[in-house]
Amino acid sequence: VTMHPSLVFSDQAGLYQETTAFMVGTNLLVVPAVTEGSNEATGLIPAGLWYALADEDSSQVATLTGTGAMQSFTVELYDPIPSFQLAGTMIPMHNQAKMLINDTKASGYSLVFALDSNGNAKGSLMLDTNEQPLIASNTYWLDYSASGTMSNGTITMRINSASAPN
C-alpha cells in the first residue's frame, strides 16, 4: 500500500507539505525525481534513522538521519530510485522477480532487517497459499523479531522470535 508520509508520521506536521516522496507500507520511503531532465530527487525525510536500500553488489550501508526537512539526492537516468528503510523494521522481499506470480513466490523470500540504535528490528510477512481471495484458511502472517551486533565490519543477526498468530 502506498501512502503519503504524513499518514505514517502524523506527529510530524511539516510532512503535510511533502508533494513527491511516498511510503510503501509503513517502513519504506521512496523519493523519486519528478522533474523531466533533472538529476535531483528532493523530498521531506521524516525524523528518525533511515537505511538507504543499496544495490545487491554494494558492501556499503548508507544511513540517513531524517529531521523532517527537505533533502536532495543526486540521481542519474538509470540509477535506482532513492529508497530508505526505517530503522527498527524488517521488510520481506522476494529473491527474484519472475513473469508469473507463482514463479516469484517459488523463488523464496529475503528478510531485510534495518537495526535501530539498540540493535533490534521487527516486522511481519504475509503468505497466501494460492490465488484465491484472502480467506483465513489460505493466509498466514509470520511475525519476526531480531537483534544484531556489529564487530569488525561484520553484522551478526539472531532471530529472537518467529511466530504465526492463531
Side-chain angles (χ1 to χ4, degrees), residues 83-159:
S83 303
F84 304 91
Q85 183 176 348
L86 182 61
T89 65
M90 182 275 294
I91 297 177
M93 294 187 170
H94 283 288
N95 288 333
Q96 294 180 337
K98 302 283 188 172
M99 293 297 290
L100 301 174
I101 291 173
N102 286 338
D103 293 342
T104 299
K105 287 180 182 180
S107 75
Y109 296 89
S110 294
L111 304 178
V112 181
F113 290 95
L115 302 178
D116 63 15
S117 59
N118 297 317
N120 298 311
K122 62 183 177 179
S124 298
L125 167 65
M126 185 197 85
L127 300 172
D128 61 342
T129 57
N130 55 36
E131 303 306 311
Q132 300 300 317
L134 291 178
I135 301 171
S137 63
N138 294 336
T139 306
Y140 302 93
W141 286 92
L142 303 175
D143 294 317
Y144 290 90
S145 170
S147 60
T149 57
M150 181 177 233
S151 175
N152 298 325
T154 301
I155 297 175
T156 304
M157 293 294 299
R158 182 180 74 242
I159 301 292

Side-chain angles (χ1 to χ4, degrees), residues 21-136:
F22 59 91
M23 300 293 299
V24 177
T26 57
N27 304 330
L28 182 64
L29 177 69
V30 179
V31 185
V34 295
T35 304
E36 184 177 352
S38 174
N39 65 343
E40 184 175 79
T42 304
L44 288 169
I45 308 300
L49 178 61
W50 296 86
Y51 288 86
L53 293 183
D55 294 334
E56 291 179 5
D57 299 335
S58 175
S59 62
Q60 301 297 315
V61 176
T63 60
L64 169 70
T65 301
T67 60
M70 191 70 71
Q71 295 193 28
S72 297
F73 308 94
T74 302
V75 294
E76 296 299 328
L77 183 59
Y78 295 104
D79 286 351
I81 297 171
S83 303
F84 304 91
Q85 183 176 348
L86 182 61
T89 65
M90 182 275 294
I91 297 177
M93 294 187 170
H94 283 288
N95 288 333
Q96 294 180 337
K98 302 283 188 172
M99 293 297 290
L100 301 174
I101 291 173
N102 286 338
D103 293 342
T104 299
K105 287 180 182 180
S107 75
Y109 296 89
S110 294
L111 304 178
V112 181
F113 290 95
L115 302 178
D116 63 15
S117 59
N118 297 317
N120 298 311
K122 62 183 177 179
S124 298
L125 167 65
M126 185 197 85
L127 300 172
D128 61 342
T129 57
N130 55 36
E131 303 306 311
Q132 300 300 317
L134 291 178
I135 301 171

